[in-house]
Amino acid sequence: MSAVLLDGKQLAKEIQAEIAERVAGFKQQSGVTPCLAAVLVGSDPASEVYVRNKQRACERVGMESRLFRLESQITEDALLDLVSQLNRNAEVHGILVQLPLPSAIRTQRVLDAVHPSKDVDAFHPENVGLLSQGRPRFLPCTPHGVMQILHRSGIRASGQHAVVVGRSEIVGKPLAMLLMQKSSALGPDAANATVTVCHSRSRNLKEITRAADILIAAIGQPRFITAEMVKPGAAVIDVGVNRVAEGLVGDVDFEAVRAIAGHITPVPGGVGPLTVTMLLENTLQAARQQVA
Ligand code: GUN
């Protein structure tokens, strides 16, 4: 039997239609158009594509997006100046600094400079702290996208063993927090998982991943999760985006794993479209909070 394919593109379309309705209502009631400022430093081709996708998604749901392009030689101080201007600009509700930044710039310093109320990536320490205490201001986009895929596909997390492979600040760590929290905006069934986080130094990785009812691959290595690492019937969510000679592949050996998993997300067309969608959600929420 082959796993049920979880179609992130379709889910994203549905959620974006819901967001578009809420954006229209907000605009009518407040007279304000939610606005996302995207900051792109240099011309990394993958970042160009990501930023374009984010801008197009804003247009689709009736929000404004403004792109600030800076050359890769820009100094850290000049970038901090721009962030500070955007923090003070009342027409801008959300600020996104596309990563990675050039190596000469201290990424943490720049991300910390984004005002927490405009931090739609949820990277600021204040927002990370609020999330870890179970009272989030914004949910981080990719982890939230994973929770939405599970919830809207009828896969309950409560009481299940969720194994997260990868401990990054952007995905693995915050996703573990969302899965283990007591309550969530999606209801108690969407949280309350028993969570194990493993990573490149974990011993007996295969035994751990094979115990997962829900297996999340976010380690950044092409086809790292093989069929023998997956329990038959498990839900497998692939957060990886790896560029290899044949094109884009995830962190899961898709063809082999789909033969034994219960559910599986493809790459591309799985988690990616949800990440962009959750950014829209955060931008709308930021506008709501700032206009209120
Ligand atoms: N680059 C890769 N993923 C992300 C993300 O989630 N946010 C930003 N700003 N840049 C990224």
Side-chain angles (χ1 to χ4, degrees):
M1 253 231 336
S2 188
V4 173
L5 202 63
L6 302 175
D7 184 347
K9 242 172 150 171
Q10 179 57 33
L11 276 177
K13 214 168 152 186
E14 286 165 26
I15 301 174
Q16 286 185 22
E18 294 166 20
I19 294 173
E21 267 185 39
R22 286 159 53 219
V23 168
F26 173 75
K27 280 158 84 170
Q28 199 170 35
Q29 163 235 318
S30 67
V32 172
T33 300
C35 174
L36 173 72
V39 179
L40 177 58
V41 182
S43 53
D44 172 60
S47 291
E48 297 259 2
V49 172
Y50 289 138
V51 167
R52 202 178 318 130
N53 287 344
K54 289 166 184 175
Q55 288 198 285
R56 285 198 187 132
C58 281
E59 278 169 30
R60 273 201 300 277
V61 299
M63 301 203 289
E64 187 186 343
S65 71
R66 297 184 190 175
L67 175 59
F68 296 83
R69 267 181 181 281
L70 302 171
E71 55 186 35
S72 57
Q73 315 301 332
I74 186 96
T75 62
E76 189 177 281
D77 281 346
L79 179 53
L80 288 169
D81 267 354
L82 172 62
V83 170
S84 162
Q85 274 176 41
L86 295 172
N87 283 341
R88 282 181 272 115
N89 185 343
E91 290 175 0
V92 166
H93 306 105
I95 302 170
L96 172 134
V97 180
Q98 185 63 33
L99 303 180
L101 291 170
S103 54
I105 292 176
R106 286 168 288 182
T107 299
Q108 198 66 59
R109 197 149 174 245
V110 174
L111 297 180
D112 288 0
V114 174
H115 194 280
S117 66
K118 297 191 177 187
D119 170 37
V120 286
D121 260 327
F123 289 165
H124 191 282
E126 183 177 313
N127 289 325
V128 175
L130 288 170
L131 173 69
S132 79
Q133 291 187 342
R135 48 184 190 132
R137 177 187 280 129
F138 299 115
L139 296 180
C141 301
T142 300
H144 186 195
V146 171
M147 301 303 283
Q148 288 281 353
I149 290 184
L150 292 172
H151 175 64
R152 289 178 183 248
S153 307
I155 299 164
R156 57 181 283 139
S158 181
Q160 302 282 88
H161 187 190
V163 173
V164 181
V165 186
R167 55 179 158 179
S168 70
E169 302 295 335
I170 296 185
V171 182
K173 218 189 265 186
L175 180 54
M177 286 196 280
L178 287 180
L179 284 162
M180 77 170 83
Q181 68 193 338
K182 277 187 184 162
S183 62
S184 97
L186 302 174
D189 281 357
N192 288 296
T194 302
V195 180
T196 301
V197 179
C198 39
H199 46 77
S200 53
R201 305 264 180 116
S202 296
R203 259 189 289 133
N204 306 327
L205 194 65
K206 188 177 100 182
E207 280 89 291
I208 301 169
T209 58
R210 269 192 80 87
D213 303 306
I214 298 170
L215 178 60
I216 290 142
I219 199 163
Q221 293 192 38
R223 304 188 184 103
F224 182 82
I225 302 291
T226 56
E228 59 169 19
M229 297 169 80
V230 177
K231 174 159 85 174
V236 179
I237 309 293
D238 191 350
V239 183
V241 183
N242 306 290
R243 213 163 281 276
V244 297
E246 312 94 275
L248 280 189
V249 299
D251 290 356
V252 175
D253 183 353
F254 181 79
E255 288 308 330
V257 170
R258 90 182 288 190
I260 58 160
H263 296 81
I264 192 167
T265 58
V267 175
V271 174
L274 271 299
T275 296
V276 178
T277 305
M278 295 309 121
L279 177 69
L280 303 176
E281 173 70 33
N282 284 350
T283 305
L284 173 57
Q285 276 188 34
R288 271 193 201 291
Q289 289 163 16
Q290 284 160 54
V291 169

